[in-house]
Structures are given as C-alpha cells and as structure tokens.
C-alpha cells in the first residue's frame, strides 16, 4: 500500500488543461516524445516527416521543430533522402543513461528542496496524485505521463535551468527504457521511491532529498543491470 501524505487536497490545474495554451511546436514535441517513449514509434523503425505531420495534424513547421529537438536529444536520427530513424534500444545503454543522469538528479533534488515554491508544490501534488491513480488502476501510460509531470515539477522547483536542460533528455531516455523493460512489474515500487523524493522536497530537507534521489537512481540502475543481461 502506498501512502501519499502530502497530497490530500485536489490539484488546482489538470495536466491536460496545462497544455492548452502551449505553442504548437511544444505540443508536437510532447506527442512525438510520448510516442517514442511508449514505443508507439518502434525502436529502429523509419518514418517520414510527412507521415508525422499527417498523424499529428499540427502543421509542417511545428512538427519540423519538434523533430529537430528530438534529434538533438538523440531520440530521432534525421537522414536526408532516407527518412527519420527512431533511436534503437540497446539494453546496455540504459546503464550509460543512468550513470550520466545520477549526478544531475541529486543537484535538482537538493535545489528543489531549497527553493520549492507554492506553484511547484502544486505540480508535485498533482503529479503524485496522477501516479497514485495509475498504480491503483495499473495504467502504465498514465504512470508515464505522471512521471513526466513530476520531472517537470522538479525542474521548476530547482530553479536551475542549466541542470534541468541537462537532465530532461536523460529522463526521457530512461523513461523509454523503463517502459520497455520494467513497466509490467515496476509501477508500485517506482511510485514509492518517487513519493519519498517528493516528500523530502516538500519538507525542504536537502540532505534527505539528495539521498532519495540517489535511491531512485539506484533502483533504476538495478533494473538496467537486469535488462543488460537479457
């Protein structure tokens, strides 16, 4: 049983509503990123810019901007005259992603505990509630969305755009590996570690937040080590 001590009041803004005013390029990025993370766009497969424009119905310019951003993050590989390749998934790369991610997550956790605002706290509450509902219903896709929202709350709370920009693509890659190799059995355990981190941040406990971030990264690394042996 998972207890969410700090999220009893209802959220102020739903995650769905928060995307309404986003620029078209940001919406295109979010949709494409989600499709890549959840393997709707299969690893190592090829797509065309035209097919993505038709699928998203958001126009050529925003979709192209989203493609360029995802290519910079290593999730897509744009190949002239050959199409767009979706990044492959090699189990051993999950370990490399987590090794790169661990330090910056600790920096973000410490800073978030120090600087968390009411606005960021509201986002943490909302993400944790969404994560709780996903665990109860066994809805992996909803859990993935809640995890993404939690990472965005962490970035806002930390007030360190340099660390946040470094962490974001690593978080996305890690989320994709987790969906591929652990989503069938890892919801409750992952939620417990995320909630512990949220609790420490909202308590303003920098040391505890850093320890909880390390514990979360250790949990993920354990999963990655198992995946690498398959």
């Amino acid at each position: 049983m998972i207890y969410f001590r700090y999220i009893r009041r209802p959220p102020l803004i739903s995650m769905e509503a928060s995307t309404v005013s986003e620029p078209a390029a940001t919406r295109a990025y979010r949709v494409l990123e989600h499709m890549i993370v959840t393997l709707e766009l299969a690893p190592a497969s090829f797509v065309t810019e035209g097919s993505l424009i038709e699928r998203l119905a958001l126009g050529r310019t925003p979709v192209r901007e989203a493609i360029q951003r995802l290519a910079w993050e290593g999730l897509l590989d744009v190949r002239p005259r050959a199409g767009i390749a979706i990044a492959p998934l090699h189990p051993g790369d999950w370990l490399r992603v987590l090794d790169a991610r661990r330090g910056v997550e600790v920096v973000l956790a410490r800073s978030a505990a120090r600087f968390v605002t009411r606005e960021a706290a509201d986002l943490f509450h909302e993400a944790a509630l969404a994560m709780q509902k996903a665990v109860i219903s066994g809805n992996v896709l909803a859990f993935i969305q809640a995890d993404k929202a939690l990472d965005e709350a962490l970035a806002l709370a930390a007030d360190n755009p340099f660390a946040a920009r470094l962490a974001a693509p690593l978080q996305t890659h890690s989320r994709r590996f987790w969906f591929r190799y652990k989503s069938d059995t890892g919801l409750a355990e992952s939620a417990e570690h995320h909630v512990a981190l949220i609790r420490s941040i909202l308590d303003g406990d920098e040391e505890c937040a850093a320890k909880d971030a390390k514990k979360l990264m250790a949990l993920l690394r354990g999963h990655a080590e198992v995946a690498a042996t398959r």
Side-chain angles (χ1 to χ4, degrees):
M1 182 67 179
I2 302 171
Y3 295 95
F4 291 73
R5 264 190 328 197
Y6 292 92
I7 55 173
R8 295 189 181 280
R9 60 182 175 74
L12 301 179
I13 305 171
S14 71
M15 281 187 284
E16 291 81 2
S18 67
T19 64
V20 172
S21 60
E22 286 182 334
T26 303
R27 294 202 304 269
Y29 171 83
R30 284 186 179 276
V31 173
L32 285 176
E33 182 199 52
H34 185 72
M35 291 168 68
I36 294 169
V37 166
T38 60
L39 312 185
E40 185 177 345
L41 293 176
S45 66
F46 279 82
V47 294
T48 65
E49 182 183 276
S51 69
L52 295 179
I53 291 170
E54 181 178 357
R55 200 162 179 176
L56 272 61
L58 286 173
R60 180 176 299 277
T61 297
V63 172
R64 182 168 291 176
E65 289 179 12
I67 289 170
Q68 291 172 346
R69 180 177 171 185
L70 290 162
W72 180 85
E73 293 178 353
L75 292 161
L76 298 177
D77 182 11
V78 180
R79 303 179 182 179
R81 297 181 296 280
I84 301 169
I86 311 303
L89 271 178
H90 302 301
D93 285 343
W94 195 4
L95 291 168
R96 296 181 178 92
V97 168
L98 292 171
D99 285 345
R101 183 182 170 192
R102 181 178 183 272
V104 72
E105 289 290 343
V106 173
V107 170
L108 288 172
R110 282 183 178 277
S111 296
R114 187 184 314 137
F115 298 118
V116 64
T117 62
R118 171 61 187 274
E119 179 186 2
D122 288 338
L123 294 176
F124 277 124
H125 283 292
E126 183 180 356
L129 277 172
M131 192 170 282
Q132 179 188 37
K133 292 177 182 177
V135 171
I136 292 172
S137 63
N139 188 330
V140 176
L141 293 179
F143 187 91
I144 285 288
Q145 291 177 322
D147 185 66
K148 171 73 172 176
L150 195 157
D151 286 338
E152 291 177 344
L154 182 64
L156 175 64
D159 192 28
N160 186 334
F162 303 100
R165 288 170 188 159
L166 179 62
L170 295 171
Q171 291 165 341
T172 301
H173 280 282
S174 183
R175 196 175 294 116
R176 184 174 181 238
F177 278 107
W178 182 89
F179 184 85
R180 168 62 180 85
Y181 294 107
K182 194 59 184 177
S183 61
D184 56 339
T185 59
L187 289 185
E189 185 180 34
S190 180
E192 288 175 358
H193 280 71
H194 281 90
V195 170
L197 176 59
I198 291 173
R199 187 175 298 132
S200 297
I201 290 171
L202 295 183
D203 281 346
D205 190 331
E206 293 183 43
E207 290 302 319
C208 193
K211 290 178 182 178
D212 286 329
K214 291 176 183 178
K215 288 179 182 177
L216 177 58
M217 292 300 103
L219 172 71
L220 293 175
R221 203 177 199 286
H223 297 331
E225 289 170 351
V226 172
T229 63
R230 293 180 181 177

